[in-house]
């Protein structure tokens, strides 16, 4: 049982570190501007991306301390909602320019963004069910 505790809390800490590194890499060094296929329109999406990464950091820090499935479902729901908004914004703005490379890249990226949107919606439904199950006293308790 103790190994599951370490793994789960370790996963939350790992998520915090990954999101923090992404925030730093996107905004400070090397920065999103070094990515050759991103346009200046990326600035119109950057706030939502930063909000999504920050929400993930905050939620996972809370999950390290509070191991309640209902709280975790609510936190995951918030993170998924902000991530969904960021993905929708990315699809709307589409800050990509692939230049003279393969002409199929815009379609591939749009399909991946739509898959991300669908996945977020499915994840939100799962977390809503988990939250209500937790409130009703059903389901597995969060791993300690």
């Amino acid at each position: 049982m103790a190994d599951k505790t370490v793994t789960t809390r370790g996963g939350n800490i790992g998520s915090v570190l990954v999101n923090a590194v992404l925030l730093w890499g996107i905004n400070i060094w090397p920065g999103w501007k070094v990515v050759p296929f991103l346009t200046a329109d990326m600035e119109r999406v950057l706030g939502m991306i930063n909000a999504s990464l920050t929400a993930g950091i905050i939620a996972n820090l809370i999950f390290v301390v509070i191991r309640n499935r209902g709280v975790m479902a609510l936190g995951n729901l918030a993170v998924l909602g902000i991530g969904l908004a960021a993905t929708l914004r990315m699809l709307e703005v589409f800050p990509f320019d692939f230049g003279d490379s393969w002409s199929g890249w815009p379609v591939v990226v749009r399909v991946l963004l739509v898959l991300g949107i669908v996945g977020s919606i499915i994840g939100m439904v799962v977390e809503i069910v988990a939250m209500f199950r937790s409130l009703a006293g059903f389901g597995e308790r969060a791993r300690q």
Side-chain angles (χ1 to χ4, degrees), residues 16-47:
V16 167
L17 294 175
V18 167
N19 285 345
V21 167
L22 286 171
L23 268 174
W24 184 72
I26 291 168
N27 293 288
I28 298 172
W29 185 87
W32 66 267
K33 292 180 181 177
V34 301
V35 181
F37 55 83
L38 291 176
T39 69
D41 283 338
M42 180 65 178
E43 295 205 19
R44 296 173 48 200
V45 181
L46 197 56

Side-chain angles (χ1 to χ4, degrees), residues 12-134:
N12 294 128
I13 292 168
S15 293
V16 167
L17 294 175
V18 167
N19 285 345
V21 167
L22 286 171
L23 268 174
W24 184 72
I26 291 168
N27 293 288
I28 298 172
W29 185 87
W32 66 267
K33 292 180 181 177
V34 301
V35 181
F37 55 83
L38 291 176
T39 69
D41 283 338
M42 180 65 178
E43 295 205 19
R44 296 173 48 200
V45 181
L46 197 56
M48 290 301 298
I49 292 170
N50 288 339
S52 179
L53 293 169
T54 302
I57 290 170
I58 293 167
N60 279 287
L61 285 173
I62 291 169
F63 299 162
V64 168
V65 179
I66 301 173
R67 307 303 299 167
N68 176 281
R69 183 61 184 120
V71 171
M72 294 173 85
L74 186 60
N76 287 334
L77 193 58
V79 171
L80 284 165
I82 296 168
L84 176 62
T87 308
L88 287 167
R89 183 73 173 148
M90 183 81 75
L91 188 60
E92 174 190 7
V93 172
F94 205 74
F96 304 101
D97 181 5
F98 298 102
D100 294 331
S101 65
W102 179 54
S103 62
W105 280 121
V107 173
V108 169
V109 171
R110 281 187 172 90
V111 167
L112 290 173
L113 288 171
V114 168
L115 287 173
I117 290 165
V118 171
S120 293
I121 292 169
I122 292 169
M124 291 172 80
V125 170
V126 168
E127 293 301 337
I128 288 169
V129 170
M131 186 172 55
F132 282 113
R133 286 179 55 90
S134 174

